[in-house]
Amino acid sequence: EVQLAESGGGLVQAGGSLRLSCAHSGFTFERYGVGWVRQAPGKEREGLSCISGRDGRTYYSDSAKGRFTISSDNAKNTVYLQMNSLKPEDTAVYYCTFPCPDVGDWYLGGVANWGKGTLVTVSS
């Protein structure tokens, strides 16, 4: 059974940083990837980043590029999302996903598994 558990969300001031964690199990990470998606209040879900389990390649949407960094600790079965220079518009529930969104166009239709999400609130 695929399990994804996010943690690390919270309240932070604009300009601050947070590191989200996704503990994953139930699938062979090396054959697939893990992604991060967020959903802001009243908006559609938005793909942010993905890391390949095969070669460690990382992918970022325009929203995440330059401020967010995805990484993986395979020994701990955990994927991280380091978020810096946070803005109020980054306020959202952040989800860990398996497999990655289709990073060609950040299409989420192929994502089969979602965590429960962790709330990030950025105050101005």
Side-chain angles (χ1 to χ4, degrees):
E1 179 186 4
V2 173
Q3 294 190 341
L4 303 163
E6 303 93 339
S7 61
L11 175 63
V12 64
Q13 288 189 333
S17 298
L18 280 176
R19 188 177 79 159
L20 306 183
S21 299
C22 171
H24 57 81
S25 62
F27 62 96
T28 304
F29 175 72
E30 287 75 11
R31 295 183 61 187
Y32 301 96
V34 167
W36 285 95
V37 174
R38 70 182 179 188
Q39 186 167 24
K43 295 189 177 181
E44 294 185 352
R45 287 180 172 178
E46 173 191 14
L48 292 174
S49 185
C50 165
I51 185 165
S52 168
R54 286 193 295 270
D55 57 16
R57 288 189 182 185
T58 58
Y59 305 87
Y60 299 94
S61 68
D62 289 343
S63 298
K65 206 170 296 182
R67 296 188 299 126
F68 296 178
T69 303
I70 192 170
S71 62
S72 176
D73 185 335
N74 292 354
K76 295 182 178 180
N77 288 339
T78 301
V79 170
Y80 303 98
L81 187 68
Q82 177 69 43
M83 305 188 297
N84 299 327
S85 302
L86 285 164
K87 307 173 183 178
E89 50 265 43
D90 293 317
T91 294
V93 177
Y94 286 70
Y95 299 92
C96 180
T97 72
F98 161 80
C100 286
D102 181 344
V103 296
D105 58 3
W106 294 98
Y107 173 67
L108 304 181
V111 173
N113 298 88
W114 301 76
K116 293 183 178 180
T118 185
L119 177 63
V120 171
T121 303
V122 184
S123 63
S124 57

